[in-house]
Amino acid sequence: MTALQSLQGLSWIQRRKITGILFVLPTVIFVLIFFIIPLLMTFFMSFHDWPLFGDRAFIGFDNYVDLTTDRQFLKSLDFTARYTLLVTPPIFILGFILASLVRHNIPGIGIFRTIFFMPVVIGLGVSSLLWVWLLNDQVGIINRFMLDMGLVTKPQLFMAKPDSAMAVVILSVVWKTVGFTMILLLAGLQGIPDELYESAEVDGAGYFQKLLYITLPLMRRTIALALILSVIGSVLSFDQFYIMTNGGPRNSTISIVYWIFNNSFTYFKMGYGAAMSIVLLVILVILSAVQFYLLRDNT
Amino acid sequence: MAETTLQQTRYTPQQIQKFRQRIIITIKYILLIVLALLFLFPILWSFINSIKPPSEALAVPPTYLPTQIVSDNYTELTTFGRVGLVQHVSNSAIVALLTVVGTIILSTLGGYGFARFHFPGKNILFIMVLSTLMIPFQSILIPLFVMLVQVELHNSLLGLALVYITFQLPFGIFLMRNSFLAVPQEIEEAALLDGCTSLSVLYRMMLRLVFPGIVTVAIYAFINSWNEFLAALIFMTDQNNFTLPIFLTNVRSGLYGIIDWGALQAGVIVSIIPSLVIFILLQRYYMNGLMGGAVKS
Amino acid sequence: MKFRKLAIFALMISLVGGIMPLSAQDEPVTMSLWVRDSTVLVEALVDGWNETHENQIELTVIPASEFVTKMGAAVAAGEAPDIASIDLIYTPAFSSAGQLTDLTELVDQLEYVDDLSPAHMTLGEYEGRNYAVPFAAEGSFLIYNTDLFTEAGLDPENPPTTWDEVLEAARAISALGDDIYGYYFAGSCAGCNAFTYLPFIWASDGDVLSEDFSEATLLDDPIVREALELYRTMWDEGLIPEGASIDSGENFTNAFASGNIGMAGTGAFGIDNYKSNYPELNFDVTYIPGKEGGTASFGGGDVIGIPSGSEYVEEAWEFIAWALSEEVQLELYAGNNQLPVRLSLSDNEYFDADPRLKLAASTLSVGHTPYSLVYNDLFNDANGPWLLMIQVAIFDGDIDGALDEAQQRFTEIMEG
């Protein structure tokens, strides 16, 4: 309380400024200590030939230059971009459908919300293993079911072709994450007062008009949140490919982070991995900034 | 012509309305049930497989229903290793609790700060906090560990929790900021003009209004902390401090990538129960009433 | 007078002072030992040691797939364990980076030093000095289903000893039925194939690397092409299940256990697994054959070393020497169906009961292991050139392309 009293002498605006800073200070401290400092170390490492074990040497920008001619890095950029573009719409469309379905309190809706959210509480690594098992040609139930139903004549090898491998990974990721998007979108939907819909209906608005002119605009902030998080998550995807496809078939599903992981922990080239990480960070900051700008509040 | 019109007016507009609503609700329930079954199927199937005898769990081709129901896959969990399931669960629980509490406090304070106050560097700080999400954890894993060793926070549940809190903050701040922004400013302005301090405004008034946001942050912080594997593995140098995910990985993995499917299934079921319980307890806060009531002013 | 008393007193103090540091070391210490994956053997060893010694060992089991990451992080932060059991193929990388304590003097004192598994000892050396010794041994060999052999009209007592015989046996067994196949290998597992496929090449006096391990000989050595052709033929004729092409290891043992596979490569862990979990399965083992005869094996497993900077070098060595002692090798290793790391002990009373284990143990004496600082990049990496070559040559049928690409990639990686 004495701190506040000593602030009495300052103007209202100055007091607000200081209070604001105080509110965010704990967060900033945490981020500085546990993220920025290690990040600076990583940045430092990126200018070195820094093996996992052994002596390091300063090599300036060599790592970054090498990235431009690294075929696999460029392939990974392409693959990650395609993956992100393919996985984001299903997550959002399905997430929105689910959120709309569970929005009103009809009896038993809590059970459905829980069921849709259940995959989210499993870790991504475990979920990937689960799907490896389900899709397996020997012990997997999906193949058994399709055989019994006569849909196929022999067990399908989902991981054998690049397209089917990517498709089942997307399926497993959508299953795992859509419940979370549903919850985020649900919060946004809840914030829209029913009266707005009611008066629109009186004016003769149909379902799609209500969607386009009321729901979506009012959910701008929520959609921005969900979209930016989802895109970042997809660009940073790793576990699902590491566990489900091992980057195959024929190295066609190696995401950027997978390639960073390989360089750092399989080839022991930590400096090179660090440089890739910094480039990735820059890409993501720009991507997020663009999304923020496009989805900014017009209020 | 006149007869047809007579037939058409047999139903009142209200009855037609009610009939339409009934159809919509029925379609809704059908959709919900179909989707629910699709979503539930992998987990349900996991459970069914986990109660099969281990040899049946590996059978080629797989059986649909268990020929016998046994708990072998679960007892394997309780008897595996030198430290024991209970210790690992307790480690995970402590870390999760610390993470949830810390994340809620910092996210709420920080989210309020970013939403309602203006100060120099605000946008840069916000981007800095968000950027925590934009690096794969593997990239800063080793520098972070080296740093933790310097401050002796490695191999401690507290140290792990502090790291988890940091990585939950971007989402927490982002969400809480959104939640605060959605509350009309008039409410606070009135209170502030009356002479309340920002902190008491936050505490007495805003918390109720942004409670669904806090709940979401709490659930997400719990789930991520409970399931996190890599940081826990690298930062703990003593097996007694290993958390549940590491234990489960050891139980199910073998040489050359061989996986004990039965152990995997039992592990899945065991580890989702706490997160599910928390979600079930808290999900009613997403109901319409809480948020809607406050906004109507 | 006073001076003499003082002198005697001083002498006594210095004597006691000299003795004191010795007795300080007699206080029991606790050493940390890190191993990958939990094995029956390690638990038995640690328990056996702890019960009979004052110095205690604290065991930490780390998931194998993360072992290197964790060691790397620990080393970087100065938190390495006192003793570490590492996959032997990583040892050159560790020792060349100065991460392991030089054990040469201690090793030389072992009377049975020449009896230790040659593959492990070679991998544990760097520039003429020893940095690690064998801890757990795995040699590769062929396992075959004796029931299927008999059904197909083959003699289970006379398993294949040349590639042609392998091919004939595979054809005969596959002809038994739709779901029965003559051969199996995990087509998406890099390490599994280093373990079970390279020996085919070595047994025929070929290699993928030059003798000094400095160059790749994929294109130069005709045996490499012929080995690829052997597997390709078997795949082409449908003698291998289709699912093998995407098996990254998770079906490795289960496939053979189903009883529908004629032959497959495996290690002693396979014998242990099938004996314990699939008692109705009738199988026998034989050496991996060369093209016209001859045998070879991949000497794999773990070595044990003392990370540099450990405070307990002597105490750790006590444990290591104890683990290598005849008694422990027989009772705890052989007694638990694990291969002794000392060649002379592969013939022992425990294995008398099961000659399959004897054969498995004897593979260590023909065990090769590539010595390379970039072994991981070449042979273990799921996205690396070894696995890619196998997949393109065998499943896609492009042997020439596979060899060209692999030779190029191997060379690039080895040149660093």
Side-chain angles (χ1 to χ4, degrees):
Chain A
M1 259 1 218
T2 40
L4 280 168
Q5 281 165 347
S6 68
L7 291 174
Q8 299 273 328
L10 302 167
S11 76
W12 166 252
I13 294 183
Q14 283 174 311
R15 263 209 311 244
R16 288 287 287 181
K17 268 193 196 161
I18 295 181
T19 320
I21 293 177
L22 286 177
F23 270 113
V24 305
L25 197 59
T27 296
V28 169
I29 292 177
F30 264 73
V31 169
L32 272 174
I33 297 179
F34 295 107
F35 175 64
I36 299 293
I37 293 181
L39 179 64
L40 288 174
M41 248 215 88
T42 304
F43 187 59
F44 180 71
M45 276 164 63
S46 71
F47 295 108
H48 293 72
D49 172 4
W50 192 300
L52 186 57
F53 313 105
D55 300 318
R56 55 211 66 148
F58 180 73
I59 56 171
F61 283 96
D62 281 0
N63 282 328
Y64 291 95
V65 170
D66 286 342
L67 276 177
T68 56
T69 53
D70 184 342
R71 269 184 313 160
Q72 183 58 57
F73 178 61
L74 300 170
K75 270 172 72 175
S76 295
L77 281 175
D78 173 71
F79 171 72
T80 309
R82 276 187 292 125
Y83 168 74
T84 305
L85 286 171
L86 283 175
V87 82
T88 312
I91 292 180
F92 267 79
I93 295 174
L94 188 55
F96 191 79
I97 294 176
L98 291 177
S100 311
L101 282 174
V102 302
R103 174 185 182 181
H104 300 292
N105 292 330
I106 53 182
I109 202 65
I111 299 179
F112 288 106
R113 280 190 200 136
T114 308
I115 291 179
F116 295 137
F117 193 74
M118 250 199 243
V120 179
V121 313
I122 304 177
L124 184 56
V126 174
S127 161
S128 302
L129 269 176
L130 204 54
W131 281 92
V132 166
W133 172 63
L134 289 172
L135 296 163
N136 192 288
D137 57 295
Q138 301 281 306
V139 298
I141 199 66
I142 293 180
N143 267 311
R144 168 94 204 261
F145 184 73
M146 292 201 299
L147 280 167
D148 286 349
M149 291 288 124
L151 295 169
V152 295
T153 46
K154 52 178 188 166
Q156 298 299 292
L157 303 176
F158 296 103
M159 302 307 173
K161 295 269 179 296
D163 286 340
S164 57
M166 167 112 96
V168 295
V169 170
I170 290 180
L171 173 65
S172 74
V173 170
V174 171
W175 175 79
K176 164 128 182 38
T177 56
V178 74
F180 187 68
T181 307
M182 173 192 83
I183 292 292
L184 290 181
L185 294 176
L186 187 62
L189 281 177
Q190 306 283 34
I192 304 175
D194 287 330
E195 297 93 50
L196 286 177
Y197 289 117
E198 282 157 23
S199 55
E201 274 161 27
V202 162
D203 283 346
Y207 180 74
F208 281 107
Q209 282 151 324
K210 282 188 284 183
L211 184 66
L212 277 171
Y213 295 117
I214 302 180
T215 314
L216 291 180
L218 284 178
M219 285 189 55
R220 224 190 171 101
R221 229 180 268 129
T222 312
I223 292 178
L225 168 68
L227 187 66
I228 289 175
L229 290 179
S230 178
V231 166
I232 293 178
S234 301
V235 171
L236 289 181
S237 57
F238 168 65
D239 283 291
Q240 53 268 47
F241 298 110
Y242 189 63
I243 294 174
M244 291 180 77
T245 65
N246 292 136
R250 312 293 180 275
N251 295 344
S252 61
T253 57
I254 298 182
S255 64
I256 303 177
V257 176
Y258 195 130
W259 190 232
I260 293 177
F261 177 83
N262 260 1
N263 275 290
S264 303
F265 297 106
T266 310
Y267 315 144
F268 302 152
K269 289 153 74 177
M270 298 234 54
Y272 191 59
M276 234 183 280
S277 309
I278 298 295
V279 169
L280 184 58
L281 173 66
V282 170
I283 292 177
L284 276 173
V285 169
I286 295 178
L287 246 173
S288 305
V290 165
Q291 285 175 85
F292 257 120
Y293 181 72
L294 290 176
L295 292 165
R296 68 193 180 285
D297 273 350
N298 288 325
T299 45
Chain B
M1 264 307 260
E3 280 132 24
T4 350
T5 339
L6 272 169
Q7 282 174 329
Q8 281 176 334
T9 53
R10 227 191 284 174
Y11 297 104
T12 66
Q14 293 93 328
Q15 282 172 311
I16 295 178
Q17 179 77 305
K18 242 186 153 180
F19 189 58
R20 270 180 71 197
Q21 272 176 350
R22 280 238 191 92
I23 293 205
I24 291 181
I25 291 216
T26 314
I27 294 181
K28 222 184 194 183
Y29 270 110
I30 293 177
L31 261 176
L32 280 171
I33 292 177
V34 168
L35 284 168
L37 284 173
L38 286 173
F39 270 81
L40 201 49
F41 144 69
I43 299 177
L44 196 56
W45 183 239
S46 242
F47 177 67
I48 291 176
N49 217 61
S50 71
I51 51 178
K52 285 183 188 168
S55 51
E56 193 188 334
L58 300 169
V60 174
T63 56
Y64 282 113
L65 288 178
T67 48
Q68 323 167 5
I69 296 188
V70 298
S71 65
D72 290 2
N73 291 313
Y74 291 97
T75 49
E76 198 193 333
L77 289 181
T78 52
T79 52
F80 187 90
R82 307 163 87 74
V83 176
L85 178 65
V86 172
Q87 171 78 4
H88 295 303
V89 168
S90 130
N91 289 340
S92 281
I94 294 173
V95 173
L97 185 65
L98 289 172
T99 306
V100 168
V101 168
T103 306
I104 292 180
I105 295 176
L106 273 86
S107 298
T108 310
L109 290 175
Y112 190 53
F114 279 116
R116 286 291 192 245
F117 296 79
H118 301 283
F119 45 88
K122 171 166 122 158
N123 286 330
I124 296 187
L125 284 178
F126 186 63
I127 293 176
M128 185 184 88
V129 172
L130 279 194
S131 70
T132 314
L133 274 179
M134 301 184 201
I135 277 259
F137 189 66
Q138 288 87 344
S139 303
I140 53 165
L141 178 64
I142 292 192
L144 183 52
F145 181 55
V146 170
M147 197 207 74
L148 285 179
V149 168
Q150 300 299 310
V151 298
E152 307 230 348
L153 277 175
H154 68 295
N155 201 37
S156 86
L157 299 179
L158 174 66
L160 191 61
L162 292 177
V163 171
Y164 285 171
I165 292 172
T166 309
F167 287 91
Q168 282 303 118
L169 284 175
F171 171 70
I173 298 269
F174 201 163
L175 184 67
M176 291 315 292
R177 175 176 169 270
N178 269 19
S179 304
F180 284 116
L181 285 175
V183 176
Q185 295 201 319
E186 298 88 51
I187 307 181
E188 287 161 78
E189 277 163 21
L192 286 168
L193 283 174
D194 276 349
C196 297
T197 63
S198 301
L199 207 53
S200 64
V201 165
L202 178 63
Y203 186 65
R204 299 232 176 93
M205 185 187 315
M206 301 296 277
L207 280 189
R208 270 185 305 125
L209 300 174
V210 297
F211 201 63
I214 295 182
V215 163
T216 309
V217 172
I219 291 176
Y220 201 53
F222 181 84
I223 292 172
N224 282 351
S225 161
W226 187 257
N227 289 321
E228 203 281 336
F229 170 73
L230 191 57
L233 173 69
I234 303 296
F235 297 165
M236 299 305 171
T237 51
D238 174 5
Q239 208 170 215
N240 290 304
N241 283 333
F242 277 177
T243 54
L244 187 61
I246 304 170
F247 173 72
L248 292 176
T249 307
N250 274 333
V251 178
R252 69 169 175 260
S253 61
L255 274 174
Y256 295 120
I258 296 168
I259 301 175
D260 179 350
W261 298 117
L264 168 66
Q265 312 317 340
V268 164
I269 303 299
V270 161
S271 60
I272 67 176
I273 290 177
S275 300
L276 264 187
V277 164
I278 297 217
F279 178 75
I280 292 174
L281 288 177
L282 296 177
Q283 65 90 20
R284 56 203 175 92
Y285 291 108
Y286 294 122
M287 282 150 80
N288 227 344
L290 209 65
M291 196 57 201
V295 174
K296 285 183 188 156
S297 54
Chain C
M1 202 49 177
K2 254 194 193 169
F3 192 91
R4 261 181 71 191
K5 264 202 185 163
L6 218 68
I8 295 174
F9 191 65
L11 189 61
M12 283 178 68
I13 297 253
S14 61
L15 275 174
V16 173
I19 298 170
M20 285 279 277
L22 285 174
S23 55
Q25 275 182 347
D26 286 341
E27 289 206 10
V29 301
T30 307
M31 303 176 269
S32 52
L33 166 66
W34 286 8
V35 300
R36 55 177 182 137
D37 281 340
S38 170
T39 53
V40 165
L41 173 63
V42 176
E43 306 261 345
L45 281 176
V46 170
D47 287 335
W49 168 272
N50 283 344
E51 273 158 33
T52 51
H53 294 79
E54 285 203 1
N55 291 336
Q56 295 288 289
I57 299 237
E58 203 181 84
L59 177 69
T60 300
V61 174
I62 296 158
S65 52
E66 264 75 37
F67 190 86
V68 170
T69 309
K70 187 151 172 68
M71 271 302 279
V75 158
E79 289 284 312
D82 296 307
I83 323 175
S85 157
I86 52 185
D87 191 336
L88 84 175
I89 50 105
Y90 289 124
T91 328
F94 273 87
S95 48
S96 65
Q99 296 303 331
L100 293 173
T101 312
D102 187 337
L103 302 174
T104 318
E105 264 100 53
L106 292 165
V107 167
D108 283 340
Q109 287 169 21
L110 296 172
E111 4 164 84
Y112 47 81
V113 60
D114 292 325
D115 195 26
L116 293 168
S117 165
H120 292 71
M121 292 308 283
T122 311
L123 269 286
E125 269 180 41
Y126 181 68
E127 289 183 349
R129 311 287 295 174
N130 296 102
Y131 292 92
V133 291
F135 187 57
E138 284 296 347
S140 55
F141 46 85
L142 275 188
I143 193 173
Y144 60 98
N145 188 319
T146 48
D147 287 338
L148 287 177
F149 259 58
T150 317
E151 259 186 71
L154 303 159
D155 182 5
E157 309 278 315
N158 278 318
T161 54
T162 69
W163 289 6
D164 281 338
E165 286 173 17
V166 169
L167 195 49
E168 272 169 41
R171 284 176 178 147
I173 293 174
S174 294
L176 289 176
D178 264 345
D179 282 325
I180 303 185
Y181 298 89
Y183 196 77
Y184 191 89
F185 72 105
S188 279
C189 173
C192 313
N193 286 307
F195 192 58
T196 60
Y197 196 16
L198 280 174
F200 277 86
I201 299 172
W202 292 331
S204 322
D205 278 330
D207 207 339
V208 292
L209 299 177
S210 58
E211 267 204 54
D212 60 352
F213 304 111
S214 64
E215 284 182 347
T217 54
L218 298 162
L219 281 177
D220 294 332
D221 193 336
I223 294 288
V224 179
R225 162 178 287 268
E226 293 180 52
L228 289 175
E229 280 165 6
L230 171 67
Y231 269 42
R232 168 70 188 161
T233 309
M234 288 201 283
W235 175 257
D236 222 3
E237 294 181 17
L239 310 179
I240 302 175
E242 271 193 44
S245 65
I246 53 167
D247 182 1
S248 56
E250 69 271 357
N251 283 341
F252 193 42
T253 45
N254 291 341
F256 186 78
S258 68
N260 295 333
I261 303 286
M263 299 170 281
T266 188
F269 58 88
I271 298 181
D272 195 19
N273 182 29
Y274 300 131
K275 266 172 78 167
S276 323
N277 299 323
Y278 302 93
E280 337 75 45
L281 193 66
N282 291 322
F283 65 92
D284 205 340
V285 300
T286 184
Y287 297 105
I288 294 175
K291 182 172 172 217
E292 322 260 336
T295 63
S297 169
F298 187 106
D302 279 19
V303 292
I304 192 165
I306 303 173
S308 23
S310 167
E311 304 170 9
Y312 303 125
V313 175
E314 276 177 38
E315 293 84 346
W317 182 253
E318 267 184 57
F319 171 71
I320 295 174
W322 173 83
L324 295 175
S325 68
E326 185 167 329
E327 206 184 78
V328 173
Q329 288 289 307
L330 289 176
E331 279 181 33
L332 294 182
Y333 278 68
N336 280 312
N337 287 333
Q338 305 298 315
L339 302 185
V341 300
R342 287 170 55 177
L343 300 179
S344 65
L345 300 177
S346 62
D347 197 348
N348 59 68
E349 46 170 4
Y350 296 95
F351 289 359
D352 278 340
D354 190 350
R356 297 176 297 198
L357 286 170
K358 237 187 234 186
L359 185 137
S362 67
T363 59
L364 292 179
S365 44
V366 289
H368 296 227
T369 317
Y371 186 104
S372 173
L373 298 182
V374 288
Y375 179 90
N376 218 24
D377 311 29
L378 295 172
F379 295 103
N380 253 8
D381 181 13
N383 313 110
W386 165 248
L387 184 62
L388 193 61
M389 177 183 82
I390 292 176
Q391 292 181 326
V392 172
I394 298 170
F395 305 125
D396 299 343
D398 179 13
I399 297 186
D400 290 313
L403 282 169
D404 281 333
E405 170 81 25
Q407 174 71 21
Q408 198 189 358
R409 205 52 204 125
F410 263 66
T411 311
E412 268 173 34
I413 293 174
M414 290 167 81
E415 278 165 14

